[in-house]
Amino acid sequence: MDRMKRITALLIALGIALTSTISAFAAANFDDDGNRDNNNGLSEEEQNVAIKDTHPQHELDNPEDAYMEKLEYDEYIKGRNEYNEVIKKLSAFGMWHTLPDGSYLQPIKAGEFFLAMCRYINFDNFIDENTDDAELYKTAYETLNSLGYADFEIDLNGTISFDQAVRILTNALGYKSFADFRGGTADAYMQVASEHKIARRFPKNRNDALTRTAAAELIENSTEAKVYIINGTEGYSYENVLDYYKDIYEINDVVTSVSDNAISDGKTIKNGIRVGNYLLESDRKDLYDYLACKVKVFYRQEESGGRTLLYITNHITNSIVTVEGCNIESYENERISYYVNGTAKKKLVLDSKAKEILNGFAPKAVNGEDMENCDYIKLVDNNNDGKYDVVFVYKYDIMVVERVSESHDMIYGLYNDNEKGALTVDFDSNTLEMTDRMGNPVDVYYITKDSVLSVANDPQSSRQKIIVSNLMYTGTVKSTEIGESYHDSTVYFEDRSYTYSTNFKYYRGSKALKNGSRYNVYLDYRGRIAGYDLIKDDEIKYGILIKGWIDTDNGGDDTVVKLYPYSGDMANFMLAKRTRIDGDVCKTAADKISMLNKAAEYQSIKLRSLDDKYVPMNFQTGDIVFPRVPIMYKQNDAGEITYIDTPFHGYNENPENNDVFHDNSMTMYDDFSKREGTTKKPGGMFLRNTLAFNSDNGNNIAMTTATKVFVVPISNDPSELTDVKNYQKTNLSYFTDWNYYPKSGTQYPVENRIEAYNVNEARVAEVVVYYTSDTVPEIDKKVPLTVVEKVIDAVNNEGDVVKRLVGYQGNAEIEVDLAEGVWLTRYYNGENGEKIKSEVKRGDIIRYVTNNSGELVDYVKVFSLRDEDDPDYVKTGNEYGTTVDPSTLNKTMLAVSDGKYTKNGHNTAHIYTELGNYNYGANYRLVYGTLLYKNGSNMVLKTKVDTALGQREIIELADFSGFNVIMIDETRDMIYVPNENELLAEQGAGEDASRVILHTEGGKQKQLIIVKRSK
């Protein structure tokens, strides 16, 4: 492979790996962090790659493997993709042991194959992710050996051959006697495996090391064989592998419904699909792609009578064609004419009974007008007769948002070709489906000014679908080609080109983008220009000014600053020859550095005068000034900075009127917590009062979703200050999801600090700076609850293999990596000194905190779904090896499941402020009780509380519409966000049906976690 191809392949792989990482501090669905230019830390180019790149993800690969194996990149990716699909299938069947990082081309260890076989035959209770690999390999081999399946000796850390693997499979499926009858040789086993369809393809050299791909393929193929069973004196029988070992069954039929979407009459299931006449439960988000398609599915029959979908794939007889809307020429007489590569014309024939599904709504007769200016169509032919049975049409109205009025359920902006358009949206309705451009559900706060909405309204019902895109590109137009329609009109920038979106009619003529002008263009979910803003020379930008110095290396007198801009990457920027800094026009490098020095010194003095606990940081090191302040700045066409405004209010800034609310200075404000009407004006320097984050007690909001938030390190170490990894750009979601803003005076100078700038008369800040140090926050009552869904192996941004916890906070899915040396298994002292194990598993609830890198460093287990933790011993301070009396320690477990440990008083939840003293006035309350029934949107709960007279039962109401709900359903092994209609019905409620955990803070409901027990 030539060098350029290798470099391109590596860049693509790295780009994909970057897109897969989600900051633990960001809301789960915020791919733009609430803004245009910080798409999960991606540059504009990487954002666009995330949309257009069609290579499959392979984040656990080292792309160099492809070259060591002398494979072309496309061939390597194809093989990896096929391997991933097989692993996905086997994992769904419970037949694959998770392997450590490595290429699919590498040989599989014998011990790894033995572990997979133990999962295959359901002898896998010993597998524990925290157990040493050598011990797991040994136990797996001993298990298979004792059953007579692995009847040979082998190095468990070495490789295994195809012959040996087939021998084990053949034995496990009951055909050992068949092979022995033929002599028991390797060839005998091959003959038996071939005759009974245990193995399909046989390598030329069966003694070569078995690769991971070959091992996975061998196990998958064997699932289509039959198990030979001797029934004592009654003879023998053959049973399907999946049925015999896993109680898994197969269906081959057409998907007639996905949740509420259906192509025919019949029953539907809210979280699942209907395949033929079978209803299958599933929480997968991608099932809609299979609607109307013939599929092969595997499911498990549950004891409750339900069926759980395990794996789904398109049937081999399917013919599925996708045609871009811009290529469609016409629809006439059940034929769709379209172009391929712009010139060649083809036709697709529809069945006379074909149905059209427009934007995922109810099926109807095919309408050619719907295909005009549509985004794309997808056609499905299930019997491969050349006539397509269903045509999916995707066609949306386009809105470029100007503002959102959530209280009035309205969005205003450019709607198609109407500059004063208005869109009615029932934000609280369950008939609204709103997603980001990647298909992830989003809430109203995700929509900001200049968001591009693709809107579909169902004419037959109140259903509404909105796709929100916050993708933006900034560039100068080099040339344009304006045609008759949106798809043949192209705008060329310096490094890329875009077509217009389907609202193109509005931009024809004088409104089209002009050559030589610089724009912010706003792109729809398919990466097309739906709106734009002309960038003027006086555009204000924001950033954190880290350091400044005079560059004399080239004999000049240039001033350079290291700046972390809110739009773009951290870099060195040149100051222009004439730069206005805090009102002063600075012409020499010395003057510029002097003004930056004044800004740094002013900030230090000001902060110390406002807060006697503030610890100043060094702002000068030799000839380098470290202002570390937020700035507003402007640039010229050459990219040089021409204007800087810092928190220092210079003498020449508004000399006649120093009313800071009416100028553009970034002057700090004395006390954000002061309310209007007091002797002090409402200000915004240091947020002493955290109530400023909401509208309670007369305080107006301090920030909106448009506020730009910088997270910066507290440090005097230049290497930390200049390392972009220690910074973050985010928005208000940082604070709504993570309560690490100051909670006590002693934490202000040590752990966290918040400063606000540019606060207007409405007391809304444009910029907020949040400082954080390496100090790990205390796990207190404000740390949010997290429902654990799973713990997986992943690769972080540094390319290291890490453990990643996936779960829910509120109704947002989160991911957080475990810091090095941190495990989710701990040990405690038992009653007689024995070692008690406490492990975080699926369905448990924890509170955790992170370090400044966003890694999980400490946690407290709050709820044990399986009654595994005795709250009298599993508590902080009683870790194994300590000598403290556990009875002298406060409780750590706030709730356990019903039954086992109720003798310890934990059928209700407590918060102990000190030993034996329940804090009745705690601003955090966790209630453990029973969900009785629904009453409209209210959940009627029976809970137990402690009083001065002992414990008593009370009835409480939880308003479903007022806070988040998570369902932990043991009966279906599912953790998900339910909607109001699928919550537990009255007849299913009661003592044996469910338990609830009601999380309140400050007397307000925050979250309801429903634990639906298996009876």
Side-chain angles (χ1 to χ4, degrees):
M1 178 178 291
D2 61 24
R3 186 183 179 198
M4 183 56 68
K5 191 165 186 178
R6 293 183 57 173
I7 292 173
T8 302
L10 181 58
L11 288 176
I12 292 174
L14 293 175
I16 295 172
L18 284 171
T19 63
S20 66
T21 304
I22 301 177
S23 168
F25 289 113
N29 297 318
F30 264 70
D31 59 344
D32 295 87
D33 276 338
N35 64 84
R36 302 281 169 183
D37 306 294
N38 184 30
N39 195 350
N40 277 345
L42 302 179
S43 67
E44 287 100 339
E45 178 64 33
E46 288 166 329
Q47 292 176 42
N48 209 41
V49 169
I51 292 177
K52 295 185 176 181
D53 188 87
T54 57
H55 287 295
Q57 293 190 16
H58 52 105
E59 61 183 17
L60 297 184
D61 282 340
N62 173 7
E64 288 297 323
D65 290 342
Y67 316 128
M68 289 187 297
E69 297 293 334
K70 303 185 186 307
L71 292 180
E72 289 295 321
Y73 186 73
D74 290 344
E75 184 182 356
Y76 173 73
I77 292 300
K78 180 182 178 182
R80 177 67 192 192
N81 195 36
E82 293 172 351
Y83 172 75
N84 283 340
E85 190 61 28
V86 173
I87 295 309
K88 181 180 177 182
K89 181 178 181 180
L90 294 178
S91 297
F93 294 165
M95 288 185 166
W96 189 254
H97 176 72
T98 302
L99 300 178
D101 179 28
S103 168
Y104 69 93
L105 299 167
Q106 292 176 351
I108 190 171
K109 291 182 180 180
E112 292 173 343
F113 185 81
F114 293 150
L115 285 171
M117 283 304 304
C118 285
R119 288 200 184 280
Y120 188 108
I121 62 175
N122 291 339
F123 279 78
D124 58 344
N125 291 336
F126 65 91
I127 297 179
D128 186 327
E129 64 180 18
N130 296 315
T131 304
D132 180 74
D133 284 346
E135 187 65 28
L136 287 175
Y137 295 167
K138 180 182 178 184
T139 306
Y141 172 73
E142 290 175 347
T143 301
L144 296 175
N145 184 262
S146 65
L147 293 169
Y149 300 162
D151 51 356
F152 52 86
E153 295 184 359
I154 193 171
D155 178 6
L156 300 180
N157 285 301
T159 61
I160 186 171
S161 69
F162 184 84
D163 274 352
Q164 292 168 324
V166 169
R167 185 183 189 93
I168 295 172
L169 268 173
T170 305
N171 289 340
L173 269 57
Y175 295 94
K176 180 178 175 61
S177 60
F178 287 62
D180 288 344
F181 178 78
R182 299 186 181 187
T185 63
D187 287 340
Y189 271 94
M190 293 305 115
Q191 292 174 8
V192 173
S194 176
E195 289 174 5
H196 294 277
K197 300 180 180 180
I198 298 171
R200 290 188 200 163
R201 292 183 287 184
F202 299 85
K204 291 181 180 179
N205 191 343
R206 304 197 311 258
N207 290 317
D208 285 349
L210 196 69
T211 64
R212 291 180 172 181
T213 296
E217 184 184 67
L218 181 62
I219 292 176
E220 181 200 22
N221 290 339
S222 74
T223 61
E224 298 183 10
K226 292 184 180 295
V227 184
Y228 178 73
I229 303 166
I230 298 177
N231 300 317
T233 59
E234 299 178 7
Y236 64 89
S237 63
Y238 293 93
E239 294 190 24
N240 295 327
V241 168
L242 293 177
D243 184 3
Y244 179 76
Y245 276 124
K246 299 294 184 180
D247 291 327
I248 294 173
Y249 303 90
E250 179 182 344
I251 308 173
N252 294 273
D253 213 326
V254 175
V255 176
T256 54
S257 72
V258 176
S259 193
D260 293 336
N261 303 287
I263 60 170
S264 62
D265 296 333
K267 292 183 179 180
T268 62
I269 183 169
K270 182 62 180 176
N271 286 297
I273 66 174
R274 178 158 57 98
V275 182
N277 294 319
Y278 291 85
L279 292 172
L280 307 177
E281 299 174 338
S282 175
D283 59 354
R284 284 181 55 167
K285 304 295 191 298
D286 61 344
L287 293 179
Y288 183 79
D289 292 338
Y290 295 98
L291 182 62
C293 299
K294 187 173 183 180
V295 295
K296 174 185 286 191
V297 298
F298 296 88
Y299 70 91
R300 176 177 289 115
Q301 184 75 48
E302 307 295 349
E303 293 182 3
S304 61
R307 300 179 178 92
T308 300
L309 174 68
L310 299 177
Y311 179 78
I312 181 171
T313 187
N314 279 306
H315 199 273
I316 193 171
T317 61
N318 275 358
S319 174
I320 301 174
V321 176
T322 299
V323 180
E324 292 293 315
C326 60
N327 291 328
I328 298 175
E329 182 194 40
S330 64
Y331 169 73
E332 189 176 2
N333 298 326
E334 299 172 354
R335 283 167 170 77
I336 298 173
S337 299
Y338 68 103
Y339 293 98
V340 179
N341 298 325
T343 56
K345 187 185 293 187
K346 288 191 174 183
K347 288 187 178 181
L348 297 170
V349 181
L350 303 186
D351 187 87
S352 59
K353 299 179 181 179
K355 298 177 182 178
E356 174 188 322
I357 299 179
L358 178 62
N359 297 322
F361 297 132
K364 63 174 187 174
V366 180
N367 185 346
E369 292 182 1
D370 293 337
M371 301 183 198
E372 296 178 3
N373 287 344
C374 70
D375 288 344
Y376 64 97
I377 61 174
K378 184 178 79 171
L379 302 97
V380 181
D381 174 10
N382 284 311
N383 55 13
N384 208 12
D385 64 354
K387 294 184 178 182
Y388 290 86
D389 309 301
V390 180
V391 53
F392 292 83
V393 180
Y394 297 90
K395 182 178 183 178
Y396 300 96
D397 294 319
I398 299 295
M399 169 173 267
V400 184
V401 176
E402 181 62 32
R403 64 186 178 91
V404 180
S405 177
E406 185 177 0
S407 59
H408 294 90
D409 284 341
M410 296 295 293
I411 304 177
Y412 301 93
L414 172 63
Y415 197 17
N416 293 330
D417 57 353
N418 184 359
E419 290 183 350
K420 298 181 179 180
L423 175 65
T424 302
V425 179
D426 188 351
F427 292 111
D428 296 325
S429 172
N430 57 12
T431 62
L432 171 65
E433 179 184 330
M434 193 157 60
T435 67
D436 66 11
R437 64 179 186 271
M438 310 306 289
N440 302 308
V442 295
D443 211 336
V444 61
Y445 58 76
Y446 190 72
I447 303 175
T448 63
K449 186 179 184 302
D450 297 321
S451 292
V452 178
L453 311 183
S454 299
V455 183
N457 295 290
D458 186 357
Q460 307 300 323
S461 70
S462 59
R463 293 180 64 191
Q464 186 177 51
K465 295 184 178 182
I466 299 177
I467 304 174
V468 186
S469 172
N470 284 334
L471 186 64
M472 183 197 78
Y473 171 74
T474 301
T476 301
V477 176
K478 295 301 182 183
S479 63
T480 60
E481 294 177 0
I482 304 301
E484 293 298 319
S485 61
Y486 71 98
H487 51 79
D488 57 11
S489 300
T490 306
V491 181
Y492 296 91
F493 294 90
E494 302 100 321
D495 58 346
R496 66 186 70 186
S497 63
Y498 293 109
T499 61
Y500 282 92
S501 186
T502 52
N503 62 346
F504 169 69
K505 288 183 180 179
Y506 177 80
Y507 291 109
R508 301 172 90 170
S510 61
K511 288 187 175 66
L513 278 72
K514 304 296 189 297
N515 294 347
S517 296
R518 187 171 173 81
Y519 296 93
N520 289 327
V521 293
Y522 310 116
L523 310 176
D524 67 11
Y525 79 108
R526 291 178 62 83
R528 303 170 301 192
I529 298 174
Y532 66 83
D533 283 327
L534 177 66
I535 298 177
K536 300 179 180 179
D537 292 339
D538 60 350
E539 181 198 12
I540 290 288
K541 302 176 182 178
Y542 292 100
I544 288 287
L545 182 58
I546 299 170
K547 69 176 182 177
W549 68 96
I550 300 175
D551 183 12
T552 59
D553 290 345
N554 298 320
D557 189 25
D558 297 325
T559 309
V560 184
V561 296
K562 181 172 281 292
L563 176 67
Y564 190 35
Y566 203 79
S567 300
D569 300 324
M570 182 184 290
N572 295 338
F573 291 79
M574 298 290 295
L575 300 191
K577 293 298 182 183
R578 291 168 54 90
T579 305
R580 181 180 292 273
I581 304 177
D582 292 325
D584 284 1
V585 178
C586 303
K587 300 179 181 179
T588 68
D591 290 341
K592 297 167 187 173
I593 291 296
S594 175
M595 285 301 295
L596 298 182
N597 206 354
K598 286 181 181 179
E601 184 177 12
Y602 167 80
Q603 173 143 304
S604 179
I605 294 173
K606 184 71 172 178
L607 293 176
R608 277 180 283 176
S609 69
L610 293 171
D611 180 10
D612 57 5
K613 295 183 176 64
Y614 175 70
V615 177
M617 293 176 282
N618 296 337
F619 57 86
Q620 189 163 15
T621 302
D623 296 329
I624 302 177
V625 176
F626 284 89
R628 288 178 285 184
V629 294
I631 65 170
M632 295 190 299
Y633 66 99
K634 300 177 184 178
Q635 291 174 279
N636 59 23
D637 290 339
E640 298 172 329
I641 293 177
T642 60
Y643 166 88
I644 292 178
D645 188 16
T646 77
F648 171 55
H649 203 70
Y651 177 77
N652 291 320
E653 289 182 291
N654 297 315
E656 296 180 359
N657 179 10
N658 199 35
D659 183 353
V660 295
F661 282 111
H662 293 95
D663 65 24
N664 292 322
S665 170
M666 295 197 69
T667 299
M668 299 181 293
Y669 298 92
D670 289 350
D671 192 345
F672 206 116
S673 66
K674 296 296 182 183
R675 303 178 190 173
E676 295 186 46
T678 62
T679 55
K680 279 190 176 184
K681 288 184 177 180
M685 191 287 298
F686 180 46
L687 301 183
R688 301 170 186 270
N689 184 355
T690 57
L691 286 178
F693 285 96
N694 56 50
S695 58
D696 290 341
N697 302 321
N699 286 281
N700 293 323
I701 59 173
M703 292 176 282
T704 69
T705 53
T707 302
K708 301 181 187 305
V709 181
F710 292 89
V711 183
V712 302
I714 295 177
S715 177
N716 279 317
D717 183 347
S719 64
E720 290 187 5
L721 292 174
T722 55
D723 188 346
V724 69
K725 291 188 298 185
N726 296 326
Y727 292 77
Q728 186 178 347
K729 295 176 287 191
T730 181
N731 71 345
L732 187 59
S733 64
Y734 186 95
F735 298 95
T736 57
D737 283 349
W738 299 89
N739 297 300
Y740 294 166
Y741 42 78
K743 295 177 282 290
S744 65
T746 57
Q747 287 181 306
Y748 293 153
V750 178
E751 182 186 345
N752 303 299
R753 186 179 187 86
I754 296 176
E755 297 167 8
Y757 303 85
N758 284 37
V759 181
N760 60 25
E761 288 181 287
R763 299 184 67 245
V764 177
E766 293 183 59
V767 179
V768 171
V769 180
Y770 173 84
Y771 298 92
T772 184
S773 72
D774 290 332
T775 305
V776 177
E778 175 188 357
I779 304 180
D780 64 12
K781 301 162 189 174
K782 286 188 177 180
V783 175
L785 299 180
T786 298
V787 179
V788 177
E789 182 178 20
K790 58 186 175 182
V791 179
I792 60 176
D793 288 323
V795 175
N796 62 17
N797 283 341
E798 305 301 317
D800 299 324
V801 180
V802 295
K803 289 293 181 183
R804 180 169 295 165
L805 183 146
V806 181
Y808 288 91
Q809 284 181 8
N811 63 353
E813 191 170 10
I814 60 95
E815 295 183 359
V816 60
D817 293 344
L818 274 60
E820 186 176 357
V822 176
W823 304 95
L824 295 179
T825 300
R826 292 178 175 174
Y827 297 91
Y828 298 87
N829 296 310
E831 184 173 2
N832 298 312
E834 69 270 23
K835 191 176 182 179
I836 296 179
K837 181 179 179 180
S838 173
E839 185 176 7
V840 174
K841 296 181 179 178
R842 177 179 172 84
D844 292 342
I845 303 173
I846 66 173
R847 297 192 308 245
Y848 70 87
V849 291
T850 61
N851 58 21
N852 65 338
S853 298
E855 299 168 323
L856 186 153
V857 289
D858 195 12
Y859 71 89
V860 171
K861 192 171 176 182
V862 173
F863 175 81
S864 172
L865 182 64
R866 300 163 189 79
D867 296 323
E868 293 177 327
D869 297 295
D870 188 332
D872 280 349
Y873 296 98
V874 177
K875 54 174 65 176
T876 302
N878 190 41
E879 288 79 8
Y880 187 71
T882 58
T883 57
V884 68
D885 181 356
S887 65
T888 63
L889 299 171
N890 289 327
K891 298 286 196 300
T892 299
M893 292 288 295
L894 299 184
V896 295
S897 182
D898 53 309
K900 189 172 182 181
Y901 292 113
T902 54
K903 61 184 178 63
N904 295 331
H906 278 68
N907 54 336
T908 185
H910 304 167
I911 291 178
Y912 291 90
T913 54
E914 59 187 49
L915 190 65
N917 179 23
Y918 175 67
N919 183 3
Y920 298 100
N923 64 350
Y924 171 99
R925 190 166 65 99
L926 190 69
V927 175
Y928 189 56
T930 303
L931 173 62
L932 296 181
Y933 57 88
K934 292 193 302 180
N935 181 9
S937 64
N938 288 325
M939 306 292 105
V940 182
L941 314 174
K942 180 174 70 174
T943 63
K944 295 180 181 180
V945 299
D946 287 344
T947 69
L949 301 177
Q951 196 176 90
R952 68 184 181 91
E953 290 185 347
I954 63 172
I955 301 298
E956 299 191 50
L957 293 180
D959 180 9
F960 175 82
S961 62
F963 61 104
N964 299 312
V965 179
I966 291 292
M967 178 77 79
I968 305 175
D969 190 340
E970 278 192 316
T971 63
R972 297 189 295 169
D973 189 25
M974 291 175 59
I975 300 172
Y976 63 100
V977 179
N979 62 41
E980 186 172 350
N981 292 329
E982 67 179 329
L983 289 177
L984 203 62
E986 294 183 23
Q987 65 270 21
E991 289 287 347
D992 297 328
S994 66
R995 288 290 185 264
V996 297
I997 297 173
L998 175 63
H999 177 194
T1000 65
E1001 184 177 333
K1004 292 185 176 181
Q1005 301 166 338
K1006 292 203 62 160
Q1007 185 172 7
L1008 180 67
I1009 301 172
I1010 301 178
V1011 185
K1012 187 176 179 182
R1013 307 314 307 261
S1014 55
K1015 296 183 180 181

